[in-house]
Amino acid sequence: QVQLQESGPGLVKPSETLSLTCAVSGYSISSGYYWGWIRQPPGKGLEWIGSIYHSGSTYYNPSLKSRVTISVDTSKNQFSLKLSSVTAADTAVYYCARHRAERTTVTTPNWFDPWGQGTLVTVSS
Amino acid sequence: AIRMTQSPSSLSASTGDRVTITCRASQGISSYLAWYQQKPGKAPKLLIYAASTLQSGVPSRFSGSGSGTDFTLTISCLQSEDFATYYCQQYYSYPTFGQGTRLEIK
């Protein structure tokens, strides 16, 4: 049974870089699937941040693309998120999740399953 | 970005009721739609994908329908464990979610 677990600092200062890692167990990242990050500000809805394939191909939300980097480490069976120049608006629970891709007019992540339990990151000085 | 609008934003119902939640896309998305259930402090759980395909392990009282721009999630006979927030998500373009529908006990 595949499980995902997010980890990283719970507090980040404004203008700094948020860094999170998602450790995957029960499934080898190298075997396939895509691996994504989704966030949820407190009391609000969900926002897809971006995703990566085991080969290293990445897909980012256009609204965050300039600040986001997602990478994968197949040797550790984990993938990571970096979000630069954070502000209070980046305060959220950050989730990692597995998905496949759909080819419509573009190649896009499809549905997310399973998800990690989430980790709250607060941006504050 | 494709905007997803759910209605109602909140809903009160009783155990045993049949409830329907609606999700409307700002443009046609064929059947590229998923539904999730989220309980407080927990990650979302996939219920339905491809608009009407039930995820393995999800009770059959959940069902989804629709295509194009209008979609529905129906719970045929509410159980106590169904009181939660529900989100739709399109994947015709890069993923976007509805704002959520909070299902509360009447």
Side-chain angles (χ1 to χ4, degrees), chain A residues 24-108:
Chain A
V24 179
S25 59
Y27 187 85
S28 171
I29 284 182
S30 298
S31 296
Y33 281 96
Y34 290 72
W35 306 90
W37 290 96
I38 303 105
R39 69 180 182 178
Q40 184 172 37
K44 296 187 178 181
L46 298 156
E47 180 180 38
W48 171 69
I49 300 169
S51 299
I52 191 164
Y53 194 52
H54 67 84
S55 64
S57 298
T58 52
Y59 304 83
Y60 297 136
N61 186 322
S63 69
L64 297 168
K65 186 175 183 177
S66 64
R67 298 195 290 132
V68 174
T69 302
I70 297 175
S71 59
V72 64
D73 186 338
T74 54
S75 67
K76 295 182 178 178
N77 215 41
Q78 64 186 33
F79 60 105
S80 299
L81 168 70
K82 292 187 184 300
L83 180 65
S84 64
S85 305
V86 297
T87 69
D90 295 309
T91 294
V93 175
Y94 286 76
Y95 295 100
C96 56
R98 186 180 73 170
H99 64 86
R100 290 196 186 275
E102 204 74 34
R103 285 178 174 79
T104 61
T105 57
V106 295
T107 298
T108 177

